[in-house]
Amino acid sequence: EAGVAQSPRYKIIEKRQSVAFWCNPISGHATLYWYQQILGQGPKLLIQFQNNGVVDDSQLPKDRFSAERLKGVDSTLKIQPAKLEDSAVYLCASSISTGGYYGYTFGSGTRLTVV
Amino acid sequence: KQEVTQIPAALSVPEGENLVLNCSFTDSAIYNLQWFRQDPGKGLTSLLLIQSSQREQTSGRLNASLDKSSGRSTLYIAASQPGDSATYLCAVRRYGGSQGNLIFGKGTKLSVKP
């Protein structure tokens, strides 16, 4: 089974620029998550999709972050404008069930550096 | 509020040693607990998933236990190898709130010396 695909692997941008990350979950996984992992910390949920609808975006900084999951398959996370504190690894995960009963599968992540 | 703590933050052992990583959580109302491995600059690889009704799970040299009542889980690694060097994260999936919200600890960075 193919894993969760993410691109790009690395991105360096200047503050106030915009950036977008892409994620393609495992085929058949209805639930998709975006996590932010700051160096030395555990990942923190940004947004959860069930098919193409948002289940939870309570921790997403909506003034600068946006995400969409058109057609309920792949997803894009955007930051505009970026701040220095957005430097982190952005992880995409998917699960076959809404509640994560069978666990979560994570992608390799996108490492963002804002300078 | 659910909090997950992992001790120690870092661990260095000689090759061949058996070792235990600890994870504690403050709210015992969890759905399941998952252990992950993270290599530097990489994503998370799932190691073991323990449902709330289970006591332990095993995969190869890895054994994870869960004691919900005391809010603890341990990851036992037998006969450690240099290739086991990585950061190990535990995460609990809680009841209620966001259905898919995993709460992570900060991880234990393991270094196995040849």
Side-chain angles (χ1 to χ4, degrees), chain B residues 11-41:
Chain B
L11 181 64
S12 181
V13 301
E15 181 178 3
E17 218 172 81
N18 302 324
L19 58 99
V20 175
L21 307 181
N22 297 292
C23 172
S24 62
F25 45 95
T26 54
D27 187 346
S28 62
I30 65 169
Y31 200 60
N32 56 39
L33 182 146
Q34 196 164 358
W35 282 93
F36 295 90
R37 168 186 172 137
Q38 186 172 32
D39 293 285

Side-chain angles (χ1 to χ4, degrees), chain A residues 16-91:
Chain A
R16 292 187 290 274
Q17 285 187 326
S18 62
V19 64
F21 313 126
W22 174 83
C23 171
N24 189 275
I26 291 175
S27 177
H29 281 200
T31 311
L32 183 148
Y33 316 82
W34 283 101
Y35 282 82
Q36 180 193 55
Q37 185 180 23
I38 292 172
L39 186 65
Q41 304 289 318
K44 182 187 77 172
L45 180 70
L46 291 175
I47 189 167
Q48 175 188 347
F49 291 96
Q50 175 67 19
N51 295 312
N52 61 347
V54 175
V55 174
D56 183 3
D57 63 357
S58 59
Q59 300 184 86
L60 186 74
K62 298 181 186 64
D63 58 335
R64 298 182 301 104
F65 286 65
S66 65
E68 61 183 9
R69 191 184 184 196
L70 300 176
K71 301 180 182 178
V73 181
D74 54 354
S75 175
T76 303
L77 176 69
K78 296 180 182 177
I79 308 175
Q80 181 180 9
K83 292 185 175 181
L84 295 177
E85 58 260 37
D86 298 331
S87 294
V89 176
Y90 291 85
L91 296 161

